[in-house]
Amino acid sequence: MGSGGARAPTGRWARPLGDAALLLLLLLLPPLLLSAAAEPTPPGTACSQNTNRTCEECLKNVSCLWCNTDNACLDYPVTRILPPASLCKLSSARWGVCWVNFEALIIAMSVIGGIFLLAIVTCCCCCCCRRKKRNRKPDRSEEKAMREQEERRVRQEERRAEMKSRHDEIRKKYGLFKEENPYARFENN
């Protein structure tokens, strides 16, 4: 504890969160890479040309949105985050990969985000509780060390007082006792 800096949170939450993130990455990354690695369509190609074809052909162009209800390939509304219901319902809208609809994507990302935030809050609370417990009450070894240090200080003071009294007795015995004012002898004459 010499540096006093904050330590990285470790414990039982570090590994499950890492495993969950890795699993999510392994599940979502390959389909996205496969769709991105497919033959790219020229940027000037309109998405409406892929209407009544397959979802995969439509989604080769990343600016397209596939609507399952009417098998339409539409331009993704880039001014909005989610496509409006008038364009296509979220449950039938596809973007990026054909097997994930927007509704499931929103729910999954919300759950993952909630779990992530809950894990961060839990780690912060655990760290704060441990820090409060440490600051509030010293542990047994610290209490024992403080008691022993105080006992040694008291014994040393007692020995120092005893040695001083012994030295004073010896000085009196041999007439070497120092007076309060060394010039007091000369004033009496």
Side-chain angles (χ1 to χ4, degrees):
M1 256 194 232
S3 67
R7 293 185 299 182
T10 58
R12 63 179 155 179
W13 293 107
R15 178 146 179 149
L17 286 176
D19 291 346
L22 182 64
L23 179 64
L24 181 66
L25 184 68
L26 290 175
L27 287 176
L28 293 179
L29 191 61
L32 291 174
L33 289 177
L34 288 176
S35 66
E39 298 174 15
T41 56
T45 307
C47 294
S48 59
Q49 290 178 351
N50 290 323
T51 299
N52 292 327
R53 292 189 183 174
T54 64
C55 176
E56 288 80 15
E57 288 178 19
C58 174
L59 296 183
K60 285 180 183 176
N61 188 350
V62 293
S63 63
C64 294
L65 171 75
W66 178 259
C67 189
N68 261 353
T69 54
D70 53 0
N71 290 336
C73 190
L74 310 166
D75 287 320
Y76 190 89
V78 292
T79 57
R80 305 180 86 183
I81 295 174
L82 299 174
S86 61
L87 188 64
C88 188
K89 290 192 319 185
L90 290 179
S91 60
S92 60
R94 309 285 194 261
W95 179 77
V97 289
C98 293
W99 55 271
V100 177
N101 63 34
F102 267 100
E103 203 171 46
L105 185 67
I106 291 169
I107 292 170
M109 294 309 287
S110 299
V111 168
I112 290 170
I115 290 172
F116 183 71
L117 288 175
L118 186 64
I120 289 174
V121 168
T122 303
C123 288
C124 290
C125 288
C126 288
C127 290
C128 290
C129 288
R130 285 182 185 160
R131 191 171 288 150
K132 281 183 183 177
K133 190 182 271 187
R134 248 186 271 141
N135 290 340
R136 192 173 41 197
K137 185 174 90 175
D139 63 347
R140 291 178 183 165
S141 62
E142 290 176 0
E143 287 177 356
K144 184 177 178 181
M146 289 170 48
R147 253 194 329 266
E148 288 175 355
Q149 184 180 7
E150 183 64 25
E151 288 172 2
R152 278 189 299 241
R153 190 188 63 76
V154 168
R155 282 193 307 244
Q156 184 179 8
E157 290 295 324
E158 289 173 355
R159 275 190 250 125
R160 192 173 284 150
E162 186 180 322
M163 289 298 288
K164 186 175 188 287
S165 66
R166 255 195 244 153
H167 289 156
D168 288 345
E169 287 176 13
I170 292 172
R171 285 187 187 107
K172 280 182 185 175
K173 181 179 177 182
Y174 293 107
L176 301 173
F177 188 71
K178 290 184 180 178
E179 299 173 3
E180 292 294 322
N181 187 357
Y183 296 106
R185 283 189 294 182
F186 300 119
E187 291 175 0
N188 291 340
N189 289 336

